[in-house]
Amino acid sequence: MLRTYGRFALRRTGQALVVVLLAYLFTFFVISILPGDPITSTLRNPDNGFTEDDIARIVAYYGLDQPWWVQLGSSLGRFVVGDLGVSLRSNLPVGTLVLDALGSTLALAGAALLVAVVLAVVIAYGTQFLPPRFGQGALRSLPSLFLSVPNFVIGLLLIHVFAFGLGLFSMIDTETPWGTFFAAVALGIPVSAQLAEVLIASLDHESRQEYVAVARSRGLGQNALFLRHLVKPSALPTVTVLALIVGELLGGALITEAIFGRVGIGTLVEQAVASQDLPVLQAVVSLAAIVFVLVNLIADLAYPLLDPRVSIGSRGRTVAAPAAEEPAPLLREEVSIV
């Protein structure tokens, strides 16, 4: 079993690397066809203060005077060894610029993910155990409401109430714990809707199973029933959705940073687009692709560990084992990483 899982993990890791490489190539070609000349618009801009020697050195480094295939080869070679290049706007290493901005964005995205998971679990738990007269129907409608309201609207409402009204945080310095919390709430509420919908559907399915009725007949409490019997089988589809919404979290973080005035990857991208700083743009897009693929890879590798009904085939593929009461032949079900 361990050897089979190792082959499965190796195969999935190889697929993830291919996806990252294709994302990098796609980004290179998209940025290459953008209108404008970075040499003229950026390097020869008097505001940037580049000398002719600086311009010649940067042009030679990136091969900007060479055909696109030469630029692609040199760019890909640097990317493989972790060299993200030099910014055309500030003449600083791109890796340094990204790392300086990454901390704030990761803190926001991580806090928003925590908010989304907590909201989704609370809503799903309430729909299972609260009596209908205490708002179970209203709880089931919350995910649709959350999904229909854009995060920038939620952000503006939170700023109006908690920054201008109650003064819990200042828009001058939004990097404070309260500022980060409310920015995470604005980002996490729409994201929680998808998690809550999937978790509610999974819990509804599991709660109708015979083993749940047997557990209740034996006097098992609601909390114990939820934690011991309902959470784990409902985790697999929830983890799948959780991995897929990482891209939404990253994209939403850029918008939320602009609303709350936070300095992060969003600010870096805005400046890079305005100045056609192609190395910075390519680095940010590639980083987002790596994070997305890595999270989906972790989720894919966790499937067989979360649900014993998911086994690994002889070719390293995940297959769904049949239920014990079904004599039907094994049904193979492919589980993708992205």
Short mmCIF file of all heavy atoms in Angstrom, two decimals, residues 215-271:
data_model
loop_
_atom_site.label_atom_id
_atom_site.label_comp_id
_atom_site.label_asym_id
_atom_site.label_seq_id
_atom_site.Cartn_x
_atom_site.Cartn_y
_atom_site.Cartn_z
N ALA A 215 -26.85 5.14 15.42
CA ALA A 215 -26.15 5.91 16.44
C ALA A 215 -27.12 6.72 17.29
O ALA A 215 -26.97 6.83 18.51
CB ALA A 215 -25.11 6.82 15.78
N ARG A 216 -28.13 7.31 16.64
CA ARG A 216 -29.11 8.07 17.40
C ARG A 216 -29.95 7.18 18.31
O ARG A 216 -30.31 7.57 19.42
CB ARG A 216 -30.01 8.83 16.43
CG ARG A 216 -29.34 10.06 15.82
CD ARG A 216 -30.19 10.68 14.75
NE ARG A 216 -29.59 11.93 14.25
CZ ARG A 216 -29.92 12.50 13.10
NH1 ARG A 216 -30.84 11.93 12.32
NH2 ARG A 216 -29.34 13.62 12.73
N SER A 217 -30.27 5.98 17.82
CA SER A 217 -31.07 5.07 18.64
C SER A 217 -30.32 4.61 19.88
O SER A 217 -30.94 4.23 20.87
CB SER A 217 -31.49 3.85 17.80
OG SER A 217 -30.35 3.07 17.46
N ARG A 218 -29.01 4.66 19.82
CA ARG A 218 -28.20 4.28 20.98
C ARG A 218 -27.95 5.45 21.93
O ARG A 218 -27.22 5.32 22.91
CB ARG A 218 -26.85 3.72 20.51
CG ARG A 218 -26.98 2.39 19.78
CD ARG A 218 -25.63 1.90 19.31
NE ARG A 218 -25.72 0.59 18.66
CZ ARG A 218 -24.70 -0.05 18.10
NH1 ARG A 218 -23.49 0.52 18.11
NH2 ARG A 218 -24.86 -1.22 17.53
N GLY A 219 -28.57 6.58 21.64
CA GLY A 219 -28.48 7.72 22.55
C GLY A 219 -27.27 8.60 22.35
O GLY A 219 -26.93 9.37 23.25
N LEU A 220 -26.62 8.53 21.19
CA LEU A 220 -25.45 9.36 20.94
C LEU A 220 -25.87 10.81 20.80
O LEU A 220 -26.82 11.13 20.07
CB LEU A 220 -24.72 8.90 19.67
CG LEU A 220 -23.31 9.43 19.45
CD1 LEU A 220 -22.38 8.91 20.53
CD2 LEU A 220 -22.78 9.02 18.07
N GLY A 221 -25.18 11.71 21.49
CA GLY A 221 -25.52 13.12 21.46
C GLY A 221 -25.24 13.77 20.12
O GLY A 221 -24.53 13.21 19.27
N GLN A 222 -25.79 14.96 19.93
CA GLN A 222 -25.66 15.65 18.65
C GLN A 222 -24.20 15.99 18.35
O GLN A 222 -23.73 15.79 17.23
CB GLN A 222 -26.50 16.92 18.66
CG GLN A 222 -28.00 16.67 18.67
CD GLN A 222 -28.79 17.96 18.63
OE1 GLN A 222 -28.23 19.04 18.75
NE2 GLN A 222 -30.09 17.84 18.47
N ASN A 223 -23.49 16.53 19.34
CA ASN A 223 -22.10 16.91 19.11
C ASN A 223 -21.24 15.70 18.79
O ASN A 223 -20.40 15.73 17.88
CB ASN A 223 -21.54 17.65 20.32
CG ASN A 223 -22.19 19.00 20.54
OD1 ASN A 223 -22.64 19.62 19.58
ND2 ASN A 223 -22.27 19.43 21.78
N ALA A 224 -21.43 14.62 19.54
CA ALA A 224 -20.66 13.41 19.29
C ALA A 224 -21.01 12.82 17.92
O ALA A 224 -20.13 12.35 17.19
CB ALA A 224 -20.91 12.39 20.39
N LEU A 225 -22.27 12.85 17.57
CA LEU A 225 -22.69 12.34 16.26
C LEU A 225 -22.07 13.16 15.14
O LEU A 225 -21.59 12.61 14.13
CB LEU A 225 -24.22 12.39 16.16
CG LEU A 225 -24.83 11.95 14.83
CD1 LEU A 225 -24.57 10.48 14.58
CD2 LEU A 225 -26.33 12.24 14.81
N PHE A 226 -22.04 14.47 15.32
CA PHE A 226 -21.47 15.35 14.30
C PHE A 226 -19.98 15.12 14.14
O PHE A 226 -19.47 15.00 13.01
CB PHE A 226 -21.75 16.80 14.68
CG PHE A 226 -21.27 17.81 13.68
CD1 PHE A 226 -21.97 18.04 12.51
CD2 PHE A 226 -20.11 18.55 13.92
CE1 PHE A 226 -21.53 18.98 11.59
CE2 PHE A 226 -19.66 19.48 13.01
CZ PHE A 226 -20.37 19.70 11.85
N LEU A 227 -19.27 15.04 15.26
CA LEU A 227 -17.81 14.94 15.20
C LEU A 227 -17.34 13.54 14.83
O LEU A 227 -16.37 13.38 14.08
CB LEU A 227 -17.21 15.35 16.55
CG LEU A 227 -17.41 16.82 16.95
CD1 LEU A 227 -16.89 17.07 18.35
CD2 LEU A 227 -16.70 17.73 15.95
N ARG A 228 -18.01 12.51 15.34
CA ARG A 228 -17.53 11.14 15.13
C ARG A 228 -17.98 10.52 13.82
O ARG A 228 -17.24 9.74 13.20
CB ARG A 228 -18.00 10.24 16.28
CG ARG A 228 -17.43 10.59 17.64
CD ARG A 228 -17.94 9.60 18.68
NE ARG A 228 -17.59 10.00 20.04
CZ ARG A 228 -17.97 9.34 21.13
NH1 ARG A 228 -18.72 8.24 21.00
NH2 ARG A 228 -17.62 9.76 22.32
N HIS A 229 -19.19 10.87 13.37
CA HIS A 229 -19.77 10.13 12.26
C HIS A 229 -20.08 10.97 11.02
O HIS A 229 -20.12 10.42 9.92
CB HIS A 229 -21.07 9.45 12.72
CG HIS A 229 -20.87 8.43 13.80
ND1 HIS A 229 -20.29 7.21 13.58
CD2 HIS A 229 -21.16 8.49 15.13
CE1 HIS A 229 -20.24 6.53 14.71
NE2 HIS A 229 -20.75 7.28 15.67
N LEU A 230 -20.31 12.26 11.17
CA LEU A 230 -20.75 13.05 10.02
C LEU A 230 -19.63 13.87 9.38
O LEU A 230 -19.63 14.07 8.17
CB LEU A 230 -21.88 13.99 10.44
CG LEU A 230 -23.19 13.32 10.87
CD1 LEU A 230 -24.21 14.37 11.27
CD2 LEU A 230 -23.73 12.45 9.76
N VAL A 231 -18.68 14.34 10.20
CA VAL A 231 -17.68 15.26 9.67
C VAL A 231 -16.75 14.56 8.67
O VAL A 231 -16.52 15.06 7.56
CB VAL A 231 -16.86 15.88 10.82
CG1 VAL A 231 -15.65 16.62 10.28
CG2 VAL A 231 -17.73 16.83 11.61
N LYS A 232 -16.19 13.42 9.04
CA LYS A 232 -15.17 12.79 8.21
C LYS A 232 -15.68 12.39 6.83
O LYS A 232 -15.05 12.71 5.82
CB LYS A 232 -14.58 11.58 8.94
CG LYS A 232 -13.35 11.02 8.23
CD LYS A 232 -12.67 9.96 9.07
CE LYS A 232 -11.42 9.45 8.36
NZ LYS A 232 -10.72 8.43 9.16
N PRO A 233 -16.84 11.68 6.70
CA PRO A 233 -17.30 11.36 5.34
C PRO A 233 -17.72 12.57 4.53
O PRO A 233 -17.77 12.51 3.30
CB PRO A 233 -18.48 10.41 5.59
CG PRO A 233 -18.92 10.69 6.97
CD PRO A 233 -17.69 11.07 7.73
N SER A 234 -18.03 13.67 5.21
CA SER A 234 -18.42 14.89 4.49
C SER A 234 -17.21 15.75 4.12
O SER A 234 -17.37 16.75 3.43
CB SER A 234 -19.38 15.73 5.35
OG SER A 234 -20.53 14.99 5.70
N ALA A 235 -16.04 15.36 4.60
CA ALA A 235 -14.85 16.19 4.39
C ALA A 235 -14.32 16.14 2.97
O ALA A 235 -13.76 17.12 2.48
CB ALA A 235 -13.74 15.76 5.37
N LEU A 236 -14.50 15.00 2.28
CA LEU A 236 -13.88 14.84 0.96
C LEU A 236 -14.39 15.86 -0.05
O LEU A 236 -13.59 16.58 -0.66
CB LEU A 236 -14.09 13.42 0.46
CG LEU A 236 -13.32 13.03 -0.79
CD1 LEU A 236 -11.82 13.15 -0.54
CD2 LEU A 236 -13.65 11.60 -1.20
N PRO A 237 -15.71 15.99 -0.29
CA PRO A 237 -16.15 17.04 -1.24
C PRO A 237 -15.84 18.44 -0.75
O PRO A 237 -15.59 19.34 -1.57
CB PRO A 237 -17.66 16.79 -1.34
CG PRO A 237 -18.03 16.04 -0.12
CD PRO A 237 -16.85 15.20 0.21
N THR A 238 -15.83 18.64 0.56
CA THR A 238 -15.52 19.97 1.09
C THR A 238 -14.06 20.33 0.83
O THR A 238 -13.75 21.47 0.47
CB THR A 238 -15.80 20.01 2.61
OG1 THR A 238 -17.14 19.57 2.85
CG2 THR A 238 -15.63 21.42 3.14
N VAL A 239 -13.16 19.37 0.99
CA VAL A 239 -11.74 19.62 0.70
C VAL A 239 -11.55 19.92 -0.78
O VAL A 239 -10.73 20.78 -1.16
CB VAL A 239 -10.90 18.40 1.13
CG1 VAL A 239 -9.49 18.50 0.57
CG2 VAL A 239 -10.85 18.31 2.65
N THR A 240 -12.31 19.24 -1.64
CA THR A 240 -12.22 19.50 -3.07
C THR A 240 -12.58 20.95 -3.38
O THR A 240 -11.85 21.65 -4.10
CB THR A 240 -13.17 18.57 -3.84
OG1 THR A 240 -12.84 17.22 -3.54
CG2 THR A 240 -13.07 18.80 -5.33
N VAL A 241 -13.70 21.42 -2.82
CA VAL A 241 -14.11 22.81 -3.06
C VAL A 241 -13.12 23.77 -2.41
O VAL A 241 -12.79 24.82 -2.99
CB VAL A 241 -15.53 23.03 -2.50
CG1 VAL A 241 -15.93 24.50 -2.61
CG2 VAL A 241 -16.53 22.16 -3.23
N LEU A 242 -12.62 23.42 -1.25
CA LEU A 242 -11.66 24.28 -0.56
C LEU A 242 -10.42 24.50 -1.41
O LEU A 242 -9.87 25.60 -1.47
CB LEU A 242 -11.29 23.65 0.78
CG LEU A 242 -10.41 24.48 1.73
CD1 LEU A 242 -11.15 25.73 2.15
CD2 LEU A 242 -10.03 23.65 2.95
N ALA A 243 -9.96 23.44 -2.07
CA ALA A 243 -8.79 23.57 -2.93
C ALA A 243 -9.08 24.43 -4.16
O ALA A 243 -8.21 25.19 -4.61
CB ALA A 243 -8.30 22.18 -3.35
N LEU A 244 -10.30 24.32 -4.67
CA LEU A 244 -10.63 25.05 -5.89
C LEU A 244 -10.85 26.55 -5.65
O LEU A 244 -10.71 27.34 -6.58
CB LEU A 244 -11.88 24.45 -6.54
CG LEU A 244 -11.72 23.03 -7.10
CD1 LEU A 244 -13.04 22.51 -7.62
CD2 LEU A 244 -10.67 23.00 -8.21
N ILE A 245 -11.21 26.92 -4.43
CA ILE A 245 -11.48 28.34 -4.17
C ILE A 245 -10.23 29.12 -3.81
O ILE A 245 -10.31 30.32 -3.52
CB ILE A 245 -12.52 28.51 -3.05
CG1 ILE A 245 -11.97 27.99 -1.72
CG2 ILE A 245 -13.83 27.85 -3.41
CD1 ILE A 245 -12.88 28.26 -0.55
N VAL A 246 -9.07 28.45 -3.82
CA VAL A 246 -7.83 29.18 -3.53
C VAL A 246 -7.61 30.29 -4.55
O VAL A 246 -7.20 31.40 -4.20
CB VAL A 246 -6.64 28.21 -3.51
CG1 VAL A 246 -5.33 28.97 -3.44
CG2 VAL A 246 -6.75 27.29 -2.30
N GLY A 247 -7.91 29.99 -5.82
CA GLY A 247 -7.78 31.02 -6.84
C GLY A 247 -8.69 32.21 -6.58
O GLY A 247 -8.31 33.37 -6.78
N GLU A 248 -9.90 31.94 -6.12
CA GLU A 248 -10.83 33.03 -5.77
C GLU A 248 -10.32 33.83 -4.59
O GLU A 248 -10.47 35.06 -4.56
CB GLU A 248 -12.20 32.44 -5.46
CG GLU A 248 -13.26 33.48 -5.15
CD GLU A 248 -14.63 32.87 -4.90
OE1 GLU A 248 -14.81 31.69 -5.26
OE2 GLU A 248 -15.49 33.57 -4.35
N LEU A 249 -9.70 33.15 -3.63
CA LEU A 249 -9.13 33.87 -2.49
C LEU A 249 -8.02 34.81 -2.94
O LEU A 249 -7.94 35.96 -2.50
CB LEU A 249 -8.59 32.87 -1.47
CG LEU A 249 -9.53 32.38 -0.37
CD1 LEU A 249 -8.83 31.33 0.48
CD2 LEU A 249 -10.01 33.53 0.48
N LEU A 250 -7.14 34.31 -3.81
CA LEU A 250 -6.02 35.14 -4.27
C LEU A 250 -6.52 36.33 -5.07
O LEU A 250 -6.06 37.46 -4.89
CB LEU A 250 -5.05 34.30 -5.09
CG LEU A 250 -4.31 33.20 -4.34
CD1 LEU A 250 -3.45 32.38 -5.30
CD2 LEU A 250 -3.44 33.79 -3.24
N GLY A 251 -7.48 36.07 -5.98
CA GLY A 251 -8.02 37.17 -6.77
C GLY A 251 -8.79 38.16 -5.92
O GLY A 251 -8.67 39.39 -6.09
N GLY A 252 -9.59 37.65 -4.98
CA GLY A 252 -10.34 38.53 -4.10
C GLY A 252 -9.44 39.32 -3.17
O GLY A 252 -9.78 40.45 -2.78
N ALA A 253 -8.29 38.76 -2.81
CA ALA A 253 -7.36 39.47 -1.93
C ALA A 253 -6.85 40.74 -2.61
O ALA A 253 -6.65 41.77 -1.94
CB ALA A 253 -6.20 38.57 -1.54
N LEU A 254 -6.63 40.69 -3.91
CA LEU A 254 -6.16 41.88 -4.62
C LEU A 254 -7.19 43.00 -4.57
O LEU A 254 -6.86 44.17 -4.37
CB LEU A 254 -5.82 41.52 -6.07
CG LEU A 254 -4.85 40.36 -6.29
CD1 LEU A 254 -4.51 40.23 -7.76
CD2 LEU A 254 -3.59 40.55 -5.47
N ILE A 255 -8.48 42.63 -4.75
CA ILE A 255 -9.55 43.64 -4.69
C ILE A 255 -9.71 44.17 -3.27
O ILE A 255 -9.85 45.38 -3.05
CB ILE A 255 -10.87 43.03 -5.20
CG1 ILE A 255 -10.72 42.56 -6.64
CG2 ILE A 255 -12.01 44.03 -5.08
CD1 ILE A 255 -11.93 41.83 -7.18
N THR A 256 -9.67 43.26 -2.29
CA THR A 256 -9.85 43.67 -0.90
C THR A 256 -8.71 44.58 -0.46
O THR A 256 -8.93 45.53 0.31
CB THR A 256 -9.93 42.43 0.00
OG1 THR A 256 -10.94 41.55 -0.49
CG2 THR A 256 -10.25 42.81 1.43
N GLU A 257 -7.49 44.32 -0.91
CA GLU A 257 -6.37 45.18 -0.56
C GLU A 257 -6.60 46.60 -1.08
O GLU A 257 -6.29 47.59 -0.40
CB GLU A 257 -5.07 44.62 -1.14
CG GLU A 257 -4.55 43.41 -0.39
CD GLU A 257 -3.32 42.81 -1.04
OE1 GLU A 257 -2.98 43.23 -2.17
OE2 GLU A 257 -2.71 41.92 -0.44
N ALA A 258 -7.14 46.70 -2.30
CA ALA A 258 -7.40 48.03 -2.86
C ALA A 258 -8.48 48.76 -2.06
O ALA A 258 -8.39 49.98 -1.84
CB ALA A 258 -7.82 47.90 -4.32
N ILE A 259 -9.51 48.05 -1.60
CA ILE A 259 -10.60 48.68 -0.86
C ILE A 259 -10.11 49.17 0.50
O ILE A 259 -10.43 50.28 0.93
CB ILE A 259 -11.76 47.68 -0.69
CG1 ILE A 259 -12.35 47.32 -2.05
CG2 ILE A 259 -12.85 48.26 0.22
CD1 ILE A 259 -13.35 46.20 -1.99
N PHE A 260 -9.34 48.32 1.19
CA PHE A 260 -8.89 48.66 2.54
C PHE A 260 -7.57 49.43 2.55
O PHE A 260 -7.05 49.74 3.62
CB PHE A 260 -8.75 47.39 3.38
CG PHE A 260 -10.06 46.85 3.88
CD1 PHE A 260 -10.87 46.09 3.08
CD2 PHE A 260 -10.49 47.13 5.18
CE1 PHE A 260 -12.08 45.60 3.53
CE2 PHE A 260 -11.69 46.65 5.65
CZ PHE A 260 -12.50 45.88 4.82
N GLY A 261 -7.00 49.69 1.38
CA GLY A 261 -5.76 50.45 1.32
C GLY A 261 -4.56 49.70 1.86
O GLY A 261 -3.61 50.32 2.38
N ARG A 262 -4.56 48.38 1.73
CA ARG A 262 -3.44 47.57 2.20
C ARG A 262 -2.38 47.47 1.11
O ARG A 262 -2.68 47.43 -0.09
CB ARG A 262 -3.92 46.17 2.58
CG ARG A 262 -4.91 46.15 3.73
CD ARG A 262 -5.50 44.77 3.91
NE ARG A 262 -4.49 43.79 4.25
CZ ARG A 262 -4.12 43.49 5.49
NH1 ARG A 262 -4.70 44.12 6.51
NH2 ARG A 262 -3.20 42.58 5.73
N VAL A 263 -1.13 47.40 1.51
CA VAL A 263 -0.02 47.26 0.57
C VAL A 263 0.35 45.79 0.50
O VAL A 263 0.78 45.19 1.49
CB VAL A 263 1.19 48.10 1.02
CG1 VAL A 263 2.35 47.89 0.04
CG2 VAL A 263 0.82 49.57 1.10
N GLY A 264 0.14 45.19 -0.67
CA GLY A 264 0.44 43.77 -0.84
C GLY A 264 0.68 43.46 -2.30
O GLY A 264 1.11 44.32 -3.09
N ILE A 265 0.37 42.24 -2.68
CA ILE A 265 0.57 41.81 -4.06
C ILE A 265 -0.30 42.64 -5.01
O ILE A 265 0.09 42.93 -6.14
CB ILE A 265 0.26 40.31 -4.20
CG1 ILE A 265 1.28 39.48 -3.41
CG2 ILE A 265 0.29 39.89 -5.66
CD1 ILE A 265 2.69 39.57 -3.95
N GLY A 266 -1.50 43.02 -4.55
CA GLY A 266 -2.38 43.82 -5.39
C GLY A 266 -1.74 45.15 -5.78
O GLY A 266 -1.81 45.57 -6.94
N THR A 267 -1.12 45.81 -4.83
CA THR A 267 -0.43 47.06 -5.13
C THR A 267 0.73 46.84 -6.09
O THR A 267 0.96 47.64 -7.01
CB THR A 267 0.09 47.69 -3.83
OG1 THR A 267 -0.98 47.85 -2.90
CG2 THR A 267 0.72 49.04 -4.09
N LEU A 268 1.45 45.75 -5.88
CA LEU A 268 2.58 45.43 -6.76
C LEU A 268 2.11 45.19 -8.19
O LEU A 268 2.72 45.66 -9.15
CB LEU A 268 3.32 44.21 -6.22
CG LEU A 268 4.62 43.82 -6.91
CD1 LEU A 268 5.66 44.92 -6.75
CD2 LEU A 268 5.15 42.50 -6.34
N VAL A 269 1.00 44.46 -8.34
CA VAL A 269 0.47 44.19 -9.67
C VAL A 269 -0.02 45.48 -10.33
O VAL A 269 0.21 45.71 -11.53
CB VAL A 269 -0.68 43.16 -9.57
CG1 VAL A 269 -1.41 43.04 -10.91
CG2 VAL A 269 -0.14 41.81 -9.16
N GLU A 270 -0.69 46.32 -9.55
CA GLU A 270 -1.19 47.59 -10.10
C GLU A 270 -0.04 48.43 -10.63
O GLU A 270 -0.13 49.01 -11.74
CB GLU A 270 -1.96 48.33 -9.02
CG GLU A 270 -2.53 49.66 -9.48
CD GLU A 270 -3.23 50.41 -8.36
OE1 GLU A 270 -3.28 49.88 -7.23
OE2 GLU A 270 -3.72 51.53 -8.62
N GLN A 271 1.03 48.52 -9.89
CA GLN A 271 2.19 49.31 -10.34
C GLN A 271 2.86 48.67 -11.55
O GLN A 271 3.30 49.37 -12.46
CB GLN A 271 3.19 49.45 -9.19
CG GLN A 271 2.68 50.26 -8.01
CD GLN A 271 3.62 50.25 -6.83
OE1 GLN A 271 4.60 49.48 -6.81
NE2 GLN A 271 3.37 51.08 -5.83
#
